[in-house]
Amino acid sequence: MLSIIAIWLINLSRAARNGWRLLLRRRVEWVRFELGGGLPEFASAPSWWQRRFLGMREPASLHGLRRKFQRIAADPHARGVVLKIDGLAAGWATLQSLRDEIARLRLAGKRVVAYLVSADMAGYHAATAADTLVVPPAVMLNILGVRAEVQFLKDALAKIGVTAEYEAVSPYKSAGEPFVRSDISDENRAQLARIVDARFDGFVRAVAADRGLSEDAVRQAIDAAPLSAPAARERGLIDAVLYEDELEAFLAPERAENTDAKARRRPAITGWGYAARALQLPMARRQRKLVAVVPIEGAIAPGRSRNLPIPIPLIGGAQAGAASVIQALRQAERAARAAAVVLYVNSPGGDVLASDLIWREVLRLRRRKPVVVAMGDVAASGGYYVAAPASAIVAQPGTLTGSIGVFSLRPIVAGLLERAAINTVVLSRGARSGLLSAGLPPTDDERQAQRAVVLHYYADFKQRVSEGRGIGLAQLEPIAGGRVWLGDEAIERGLADQLGGLPEAVARARELAGLPADAAAPLMLLRGGRQPLPPQPFPQPSPNELLALLHEALRPRVLAMLPFHADQLL
């Protein structure tokens, strides 16, 4: 009863404020947004004192942009948005999610104008989703194609006396390859070539469809790039060449036809600060149940989540700490209002133990409520490990996923120590006490022991995926072994369920939880509190779940025996 009264009071206040805005003719025509950087799905908002004293603003995020687009779409007076794209460095899946949001806004009847300053592949891929594409006169359209580069460090490290011991389940698990090889392996080359081909073809198809061109014309334009602004316009790749201060006049004809005199005295293009105070406020609705979202972003590591400003893979950058993720999952498990959970995974993997601890929490959570995984730019290796027990997995076509495999990488600095005239004295007890030492090369026995560890973890990994995805181990092996798949390829192989981003994952979670479809419903974002929560007892399966497990166990299976090849042991 109290919640109904609260909703009624909120809507009464919003209705009054909307009426006051109409009375003052406070309207918005075009809302300007600046898009740059990585454009994460979620961004941490600065505290009040950071905003007040340091002038910090909330960083751009896909989720924030999505909510703002919804406000604009719901206001009948708003004509559309102007997106200034400058320095956009988002991944392929993020770019697809951004294009999806632009398409939704256009579907709602709003126009989207892209003002492209950094005209590279990422910026242009996003901009072509708009109705109108404008560039400055001096811009060069650098749609140069798709490229993958791998630097091999073995010979360079050898010059300073450093080597590495690398154990992997197969050559496809190639993360450590640059440290132990001078050139790319055939397996890694074929895998990268397949990914480059798929991304290039996808880019060509998208641009051709957006710009009304043939795919051959787009390929010819890429091969001719860089292109000047006039040349790009002549090829139909852009619509107009203007400076930013000319956009008002560019939009003026349509504005003159559709606005009154007072409105024409205001700037046609306004920032979000003014727009938030002028757009019509949506009416609040009672939400008994919500969808909780738990982000896993960055390399998976022990401890709490953190962001280390060190440009070294798996060491620096954002790290998804198992302790923080586990606490967030336990919060979701206990939250009475959370009817379902979306696990947003944007991680290349990381520590095996940390991944397994998160996997257990996801498995237990799924016994109590639906868990749907939304994959970001990458959800591979440990990122796929934690996703395996989910009720459903949603991925974008450009998502990199799979990489079901394990590797170990051990640096050996014996040569470096010798060159530095450093004498190492070792006192040890235990046959394998030097297994993790970087000071001396491993013995044959230590190599075999490390190989056994890798294969043990790999067998566990495959078992987790087999049980979570319902794929037999014999059928899983040809798509495992460290092989990386794009989102649509993962669906074809049973590693994911549908294409899409966070909105599609939330819609799937609401469906599984029996909630009505509602794209504007608020989300419960959980990142783990400071107060540690103990685990709840693992729920016993229901009678229906027991019947399903029995049916699965009795199902006839066809086992394929693969011929033995030496490369399967590498």
Side-chain angles (χ1 to χ4, degrees):
M1 184 64 181
L2 290 177
S3 62
I4 295 176
I5 294 174
I7 293 292
W8 184 82
L9 291 174
I10 291 172
N11 285 337
L12 181 64
S13 171
R14 291 184 177 182
R17 292 161 67 186
N18 285 341
W20 182 250
R21 292 177 181 188
L22 289 175
L23 184 64
L24 295 177
R25 295 185 179 180
R26 187 183 292 173
R27 298 177 181 177
V28 171
E29 295 180 62
W30 299 89
V31 185
R32 177 178 179 272
F33 295 97
E34 293 190 9
L35 302 181
L39 199 63
E41 182 64 52
F42 300 100
S44 299
S47 60
W48 69 270
W49 66 268
Q50 290 174 322
R51 295 193 301 268
R52 177 69 178 83
F53 298 107
L54 301 180
M56 294 179 64
R57 296 184 300 173
E58 181 179 354
S61 68
L62 263 178
H63 181 66
L65 192 68
R66 186 178 298 119
R67 292 307 192 198
K68 292 169 184 175
F69 278 9
Q70 289 172 347
R71 286 277 306 276
I72 295 168
D75 192 305
H77 303 291
R79 307 206 179 280
V81 299
V82 175
L83 303 178
K84 182 180 179 180
I85 302 174
D86 189 4
L88 187 61
W92 288 89
T94 298
L95 290 173
Q96 184 58 55
S97 293
L98 175 59
R99 288 171 54 84
D100 292 345
E101 296 308 323
I102 293 173
R104 290 188 184 96
L105 189 59
R106 293 178 62 184
L107 194 62
K110 307 301 180 183
R111 282 193 59 200
V112 179
V113 177
Y115 188 71
L116 183 60
V117 179
S118 295
D120 53 12
M121 290 287 288
Y124 188 72
H125 192 36
T128 55
D131 295 279
T132 306
L133 205 168
V134 184
V135 300
V139 82
M140 295 298 292
L141 197 61
N142 290 314
I143 50 172
L144 305 176
V146 181
R147 183 184 182 92
E149 292 187 1
V150 184
Q151 280 76 37
F152 289 86
L153 309 176
K154 176 187 175 182
D155 296 336
L157 293 174
K159 292 180 181 296
I160 60 172
V162 177
T163 60
E165 286 290 325
Y166 182 60
E167 291 287 347
V169 296
S170 85
Y172 290 102
K173 193 69 176 178
S174 57
E177 199 177 76
F179 300 97
V180 296
R181 290 181 62 97
S182 302
D183 199 359
I184 193 168
S185 66
D186 292 340
E187 292 83 358
N188 195 19
R189 180 185 293 276
Q191 181 163 263
L192 285 177
R194 176 174 52 80
I195 293 171
V196 168
D197 286 342
R199 285 182 165 173
F200 181 76
D201 292 343
F203 178 86
V204 169
R205 286 193 301 269
V207 172
D210 292 337
R211 302 300 304 171
L213 302 171
S214 69
E215 293 185 12
D216 285 341
V218 175
R219 288 190 175 91
Q220 290 170 9
I222 292 172
D223 290 339
L227 297 169
S228 66
R233 185 175 183 179
E234 184 178 344
R235 288 176 179 265
L237 298 171
I238 62 173
D239 297 297
V241 181
L242 302 167
Y243 287 107
E244 190 174 1
D245 56 18
E246 297 177 300
L247 285 176
E248 289 262 359
F250 179 70
L251 299 173
E254 180 178 343
R255 189 186 194 205
E257 296 173 3
N258 296 285
T259 56
D260 55 33
K262 183 176 180 179
R264 286 196 294 271
R265 289 195 295 271
R266 293 193 300 268
I269 306 171
T270 59
W272 177 252
Y274 175 83
R277 299 190 301 271
L279 290 168
Q280 294 288 289
L281 296 168
M283 293 296 103
R285 287 170 292 177
R286 188 184 183 194
Q287 301 280 349
R288 291 179 177 271
K289 297 288 186 178
L290 300 174
V291 173
V293 178
V294 175
I296 301 179
E297 299 176 284
I300 298 173
R304 300 193 63 83
S305 297
R306 52 201 178 274
N307 199 331
L308 302 177
I310 305 173
I312 301 177
L314 299 181
I315 298 177
Q319 292 193 353
S324 299
V325 175
I326 286 171
Q327 289 304 308
L329 291 168
R330 291 177 183 177
Q331 285 178 330
E333 188 177 15
R334 286 168 166 78
R337 292 193 68 194
V341 180
V342 169
L343 197 63
Y344 176 73
V345 181
N346 190 21
S347 170
D351 184 77
V352 174
L353 176 58
S355 300
D356 191 68
L357 294 177
I358 295 173
W359 167 85
R360 177 67 177 185
E361 298 292 328
V362 176
L363 181 67
R364 191 180 67 248
L365 177 59
R366 185 191 171 183
R367 290 288 181 90
R368 289 188 165 90
K369 52 190 71 175
V371 178
V372 177
V373 167
M375 291 182 167
D377 293 317
V378 58
S381 194
Y384 191 80
Y385 194 117
V386 301
S391 310
I393 296 177
V394 180
Q396 289 287 15
T399 297
L400 288 177
T401 188
S403 191
I404 301 167
V406 182
F407 74 90
S408 69
L409 182 65
R410 171 184 167 182
I412 306 297
V413 296
L416 178 62
L417 296 177
E418 183 179 352
R419 292 186 182 192
I422 296 175
N423 181 38
T424 302
V425 177
V426 177
L427 303 176
S428 66
R429 302 294 184 272
R432 295 171 179 168
S433 62
L435 184 65
L436 303 179
S437 172
L440 295 172
T443 65
D444 290 340
D445 177 67
E446 288 172 343
R447 286 192 182 93
Q448 292 176 6
Q450 192 61 33
R451 178 69 184 172
V453 170
V454 168
L455 294 179
H456 168 78
Y457 280 133
Y458 180 47
D460 283 351
F461 196 164
K462 289 190 293 182
Q463 189 65 36
R464 306 286 193 250
V465 175
S466 176
E467 294 173 355
R469 299 299 302 171
I471 304 174
L473 290 173
Q475 289 73 39
L476 180 62
E477 184 61 39
I479 59 177
R483 294 170 177 85
V484 177
W485 307 105
L486 292 167
D488 45 5
E489 296 174 330
I491 291 175
E492 293 172 359
R493 289 157 178 81
L495 298 177
D497 298 292
Q498 71 180 75
L499 292 176
L502 185 70
E504 288 75 18
V506 171
R508 184 69 177 271
R510 293 184 68 88
E511 177 188 350
L512 293 174
L515 300 178
D518 187 354
L523 301 176
M524 184 187 300
L525 182 61
L526 301 175
R527 294 185 182 272
R530 295 184 178 181
Q531 186 67 27
L533 298 172
Q536 293 186 310
F538 203 95
Q540 297 300 316
S542 66
N544 288 337
E545 289 174 329
L546 286 174
L547 288 174
L549 290 172
L550 180 62
H551 180 269
E552 177 67 17
L554 296 177
R555 181 171 62 87
R557 301 180 184 273
V558 177
L559 300 178
M561 298 300 294
L562 299 178
F564 174 81
H565 293 289
D567 60 357
Q568 291 172 335
L569 297 178
L570 297 178

